Amino acid sequence: MAASLHKLFFSALLLLLCSVDEGQGGAPCSSADISIRQSRTGGVVEGKPEYEVSVSNGCRCLQSKVVLRCYGLSSVEPVNRRAIRPVDEERCIVGDGRAISRGTPVRFKYAWMTPQDFPIVSTQIHHCN
């Protein structure tokens, strides 16, 4: 009886430890845990509205090498290249590829005629400790 109880306890503990690598809702972390939010700042640059973009990780596991589709990232104002920079005509890398943790979003501003879409292309998910 005691051996069975120990096996049950060990199994439950193992199951709990294996679930530590999970993101929101108990599912494993994925690129879907990266959220892109943008809003108008109220500023105007060369007659174009300014937007601020925030790239956040909702998973407790780090995600790095976050690549977004940006089509060259059009802007009439300089964009912080440490926050986002084009890697080719279609894609941009966020934060020079550094890991984004939950609660520490990467932010940048740009000014253009209309808001741009920034769909996620890929991320690298790190193992949670």
Side-chain angles (χ1 to χ4, degrees), residues 17-37:
L17 291 174
C18 289
S19 68
V20 167
D21 272 352
E22 296 178 351
Q24 295 177 335
C29 297
S30 73
S31 61
D33 289 303
I34 298 291
S35 64
I36 315 293
R37 300 190 199 292

Side-chain angles (χ1 to χ4, degrees), residues 2-111:
S4 296
L5 192 55
H6 281 114
K7 284 182 184 178
L8 180 63
F9 176 75
F10 180 73
S11 297
L13 181 61
L14 187 60
L15 183 62
L16 178 66
L17 291 174
C18 289
S19 68
V20 167
D21 272 352
E22 296 178 351
Q24 295 177 335
C29 297
S30 73
S31 61
D33 289 303
I34 298 291
S35 64
I36 315 293
R37 300 190 199 292
Q38 67 178 312
S39 58
R40 287 182 69 160
T41 65
V44 176
V45 180
E46 295 182 22
K48 311 281 191 289
E50 182 182 60
Y51 299 91
E52 181 176 53
V53 180
S54 177
V55 181
S56 302
N57 178 10
C59 180
R60 70 176 219 84
C61 304
L62 298 174
Q63 292 197 54
S64 64
K65 298 181 184 173
V66 176
V67 176
L68 309 178
R69 187 157 285 118
C70 65
Y71 297 105
L73 188 60
S74 300
S75 180
V76 295
E77 73 175 325
V79 177
N80 180 352
R81 293 179 60 82
R82 290 187 54 126
I84 188 168
R85 67 177 167 78
V87 292
D88 57 33
E89 293 95 25
E90 186 177 319
R91 300 171 304 149
C92 289
I93 192 158
V94 176
D96 280 332
R98 291 184 306 276
I100 301 173
S101 61
R102 186 190 302 176
T104 57
V106 174
R107 293 186 175 94
F108 63 93
K109 294 179 183 178
Y110 71 95

